[in-house]
Structure formats: C-alpha cells, structure tokens
Amino acid sequence: MANPHEIPSYLKHDALGPWGVYLEQIDRVTPYLGNLARWVETLKRPKRVLIVDVPIERDDGSIAHFEGYRVQHNTSRGPGKGGVRFHQDVTLSEVMALSAWMTVKNAAVNVPYGGAKGGIRVDPKTLSQGELQRMTRRYTSEINIIIGPNKDIPAPDVNTNEQIMAWMMDTYSMNQGSTASGVVTGKPISLGGSLGRHEATGRGVFVVGCEAASRIGMDIKGARLAVQGFGNVGAVAARLFSEAGARVVAVQDHAGTITRPAGLNVMALQAHVAVHGSVTGFPGSEELAARDQFWGVECDILVPAALEQQINESNANRIQAKLILEGANGPTTPAADDMLRDRGVLVVPDVIANAGGVTVSYFEWVQDFSSYFWTEDEINLRLTRIMREAFASVWQLAEEKKVSLRTAAFIVGCTRVLQAREMRGLYP
Ligand code: GLU
C-alpha cells in the first residue's frame, strides 16, 4: 500500500527553485501558527494542478506545442485568483510557488480569494500577434474547465496585458454562450476593466514604500531609488516615487542596466522604452558593463520588480539600500533575507508590497458583478487605505513577535487561510 504521508512526486523536485523558497518560508512561519499548525500541510500542497498542451498553427503553416499550467493552490477563503505569465522559463514548480504566494497575499490584504496562478512556457516575443492570440485562446479553452467568475479568476502577470485578458474573456464567454466579464481581471476599461488597475501594483509599492520609509525615518524626497524591471510594476513605482521627489538613479531590464546619479527622467524613459523596447541607450544615462553591478549601486530604496530569486547569497551583502520593496513575487531567497536582516536592511515582502494589483483586481471583479463602476479617485482611495492598513498590522505584529515583515505577513495570511480551512472542515 502506498505510504499516505508520501509527498506527491511533483512536489519533490526543485528544492532550490521558487517552490523550495516558498516551503522554507512556510517552515519559518509554522512555529507562530499555534494550534493551526496542525493544518499547515495544506499550504505545502496545491489543491489542484492542471498541465495542458497548447498547440497552435504558426503563421508559416507549421504546428507548435507549448506547455501551459494553471495551479489552484488554495480555495479555502474564496475562488482562486492570480495572474497568467508567458515566459520562456516558466515551470510547474514556479507556477506552484506563484500560486501559493497568491494564497498568502490575498489573505494578508484580506481580499476574499484563495490563490492561483497560470503560465505558458513561451517567449512571447517570438510570436506574431496572430500566433499570440491563437495560443492565448487555446490555453484559455484548455483551462476553461477549472476557471470561472466564481471558481478561479486569472489576471495579467509577466508578459501578459489587457489585450490578452480580452482574448481570455472572449474565449471563455464564447465557450459559455454568454459574456462573462468577471472571469478575468485586468481587462480593458471598455470590457469591464477597472480604472486604476493598470497602475495598481506600482501604486501599492509606492504606498507601502512611503509607510515603511516614514517608520525608519527616511525621507522620500531626495531618496535614491534603484529599480529592477521596468514593466507594469517597476515603471509605475519609479514614476510615483520620482513625482514624490525621489531620484531614480538606476534601472535594469532584460537588455541592460542604466544609471544616472542625478536621477533619470522616468516619463522620458518610458517613452524611450516604448520606441526601443529597452531602457538601454537612454540619452544622458550611463550603461553598466555587467548586469551583476546593479546590486552594488549606491541607493536608498531598491525595488526588485522582475523575476524570482534575484536577491540571493551572491549579492545580498552588496546591496546598499536601507529599504527593499518587493514589487516582484519571490525576488528574495530565505538565505538573502537573513543576510539583509543582519545588516539592518528592511524588506517589505511581496505579499504586502505588490498586493495593490490583486486588490484592484478585486475591485474590478466586484464592479463587474454589480455592473456599477467607480471613479478612479474612489479606486485609489480604497487601494491606499487597504495597503496602509495591511502594512500597519503587519508592522505591528513584526514588532510584537520580533520577526521580519515577511514572517509577520505570513503569520497574518496563513492564519486567515488555516482558520478558514479549519472552520470549513474536511469533506467528506
Ligand atoms: N499577477 C499579479 C500578482 O502577482 C496580479 C494578480 C491578480 O490581479 O489576480 O499579484
């Protein structure tokens, strides 16, 4: 007979990858969960994992197959919720970790969702618009059996945007026979999207960044900011910080790293990226020779807003910033967390720092259900309030328990999830 305590095979691999990082974070929070620790294994196993083949006909008539995933990590507190990532390095273990961080994040900011995530292992830059649309639609059809406005609601993530969400919404709706705008969030405004959603993640990073800075006596005015990733999260955060008087002194993207100690003009840089596809070659900036030099740049605030495990043992001790705001999911390894803590660097963890996106996704979903749309001011006010409150309670808990903000955020999030788990009980 199979050992009932044996770990499913797909959970065993990749101990050093994002799923391994997540498991270590769960181990670190477990001693603080009291009697709920009895249920902690729930958090170490995704509820549901779907792997799909996504075949498309390429423009040249050949057939290409892509590997797609949708993982529902937990639905104890509500439907699954989380983005869809198109990237050449997407793996099952990565999507599992990203789905699990959504569970903790949604609970930490108290939006009524579980956690989910999806992805396709593809470099979307290699596809034409037509191929991208066919791949998105086929993927949506394949995961159609587990998504839905009350089941699991995808959203944008790395390399996906409102156009992809429109195709996903349309494909799901065509399969259902009726328009279901609440099946995805991050849609275009004209299809039931929400004002402020596009900026929400970067805005949330900015809001919690201001809260954290004020608590450590750092003035945003004049603070030097370094940003890794200049997409939807990094660029918006950089703009809001620079509007508040900070100097954006370094930006790294997939193509290279640029610096300007006097501060980069973020609006002009965004316009440059729109034309050239990268921050490199921006007039008035200097380019660093090696990517790795980015981590040693003189700055006060560092915003990793790209991929996982960027801040690790190899660079944590070189980081000059006093404050790190995790715009990305999972950018810091547990070993790096410890090194930063020893050096007195404050890390505001992903599950709080980047929760602005899913918070406004929640607003979008609520607006779609009620077919009544709020003003941008209302959205931003409510977003700011939720982010401030979430940050304040995590800060207070961290002080009380003498733990890092990450562990405190995990205590808040995991406690909410496991309380729901316990109240619901096991079925059958
Ligand atoms: N992909 C975003 C995240 O990692 C947003 C998810 C959502 O809005 O559902 O939080």
Side-chain angles (χ1 to χ4, degrees):
M1 207 176 89
N3 173 2
H5 299 295
E6 200 186 342
I7 303 290
S9 59
Y10 60 91
L11 297 181
K12 278 183 186 156
H13 60 194
D14 211 6
L16 298 175
W19 181 248
V21 168
Y22 164 75
L23 289 181
E24 166 88 36
Q25 292 168 346
I26 292 298
D27 285 344
R28 288 177 175 209
V29 73
T30 304
Y32 301 95
L33 296 177
N35 290 338
L36 289 170
R38 175 176 169 239
W39 292 94
V40 81
E41 189 70 19
T42 302
L43 298 170
K44 296 186 176 181
R45 298 170 184 243
K47 174 186 175 63
R48 202 173 270 144
V49 171
L50 182 60
I51 305 176
V52 295
D53 174 39
V54 185
I56 62 160
E57 187 170 339
R58 306 259 345 212
D59 292 346
D60 66 4
S62 64
I63 309 296
H65 289 258
F66 302 99
E67 208 169 297
Y69 309 97
R70 185 73 188 171
V71 177
Q72 294 170 351
H73 174 259
N74 188 280
T75 56
S76 291
R77 301 179 68 254
K81 183 88 191 83
V84 173
R85 171 173 299 199
F86 292 171
H87 194 277
Q88 59 276 17
D89 297 330
V90 162
T91 60
L92 173 60
S93 117
E94 182 193 32
V95 179
M96 284 182 352
L98 292 166
S99 71
W101 284 319
M102 289 310 301
T103 299
V104 180
K105 184 190 308 186
N106 292 335
V109 291
N110 212 5
V111 290
Y113 294 129
K117 202 83 172 198
I120 303 180
R121 190 172 170 82
V122 62
D123 178 358
K125 286 194 289 292
T126 62
L127 303 180
S128 69
Q129 274 296 102
E131 291 169 339
L132 186 63
Q133 176 169 178
R134 292 198 287 283
M135 185 189 72
T136 302
R137 287 185 180 278
R138 181 60 190 249
Y139 168 72
T140 309
S141 268
E142 294 296 338
I143 65 166
N144 187 64
I145 48 173
I146 62 166
I147 63 171
N150 292 309
K151 290 162 84 176
D152 179 3
I153 306 112
D157 196 75
V158 174
N159 292 335
T160 54
N161 56 25
E162 59 174 39
Q163 175 61 77
I164 306 259
M165 294 306 116
W167 290 329
M168 290 188 74
M169 183 276 242
D170 182 67
T171 305
Y172 179 86
S173 298
M174 297 310 277
N175 277 311
Q176 298 295 303
S178 60
T179 296
S181 51
V183 66
V184 293
T185 58
K187 297 179 296 294
I189 305 293
S190 57
L191 294 178
S194 177
L195 293 168
R197 174 63 186 87
H198 180 73
E199 291 205 329
T201 313
R203 183 173 294 279
V205 170
F206 172 69
V207 170
V208 298
C210 293
E211 294 297 304
S214 82
R215 283 174 172 75
I216 58 171
M218 181 191 286
D219 202 349
I220 295 295
K221 225 174 157 71
R224 296 161 304 171
L225 194 83
V227 183
Q228 188 197 36
F230 203 65
N232 185 35
V233 183
V236 172
R239 183 171 59 71
L240 294 172
F241 274 109
S242 84
E243 281 169 9
R247 261 185 297 151
V248 180
V249 294
V251 177
Q252 178 171 82
D253 72 3
H254 63 278
T257 313
I258 59 164
T259 60
R260 187 168 191 267
L264 296 153
N265 178 332
V266 178
M267 294 292 265
L269 182 57
Q270 273 186 291
H272 174 87
V273 171
V275 176
H276 302 279
S278 156
V279 298
T280 54
F282 182 60
S285 72
E286 240 185 79
E287 195 168 337
L288 296 183
R291 286 189 74 76
D292 197 46
Q293 286 174 275
F294 171 75
W295 303 107
V297 163
E298 286 286 340
C299 65
D300 304 297
I301 303 175
L302 173 65
V303 181
L307 298 172
E308 303 89 55
Q309 294 179 290
Q310 297 297 300
I311 303 177
N312 50 50
E313 278 163 292
S314 79
N315 55 27
N317 277 340
R318 272 184 287 144
I319 288 172
Q320 303 296 311
K322 299 275 165 307
L323 177 60
I324 298 180
L325 308 171
E326 294 188 336
N329 292 308
T332 311
T333 65
D337 257 342
D338 293 343
M339 290 159 75
L340 293 165
R341 196 145 192 250
D342 289 347
R343 292 178 51 225
V345 180
L346 181 66
V347 179
V348 184
D350 46 8
V351 293
I352 292 292
N354 73 33
V358 74
T359 300
V360 177
S361 275
Y362 166 57
F363 298 161
E364 178 174 333
W365 183 74
V366 167
Q367 292 171 85
D368 289 338
F369 269 115
S370 57
S371 299
Y372 178 78
F373 292 86
W374 313 347
T375 66
E376 190 157 1
D377 280 350
E378 279 172 309
I379 305 270
N380 288 343
L381 267 169
R382 288 179 205 233
L383 169 64
T384 302
R385 196 172 64 213
I386 288 180
M387 298 301 292
R388 281 193 184 145
E389 283 171 5
F391 180 85
S393 51
V394 165
W395 180 271
Q396 202 190 329
L397 191 65
E399 300 254 280
E400 268 168 40
K401 305 257 183 224
K402 305 208 177 343
V403 294
S404 66
L405 290 180
R406 188 181 317 280
T407 298
F410 269 64
I411 296 175
V412 173
C414 296
T415 299
R416 286 190 178 133
V417 174
L418 297 183
Q419 272 169 347
R421 168 73 284 185
E422 183 168 67
M423 291 299 286
R424 286 178 65 157
L426 285 178
Y427 172 87

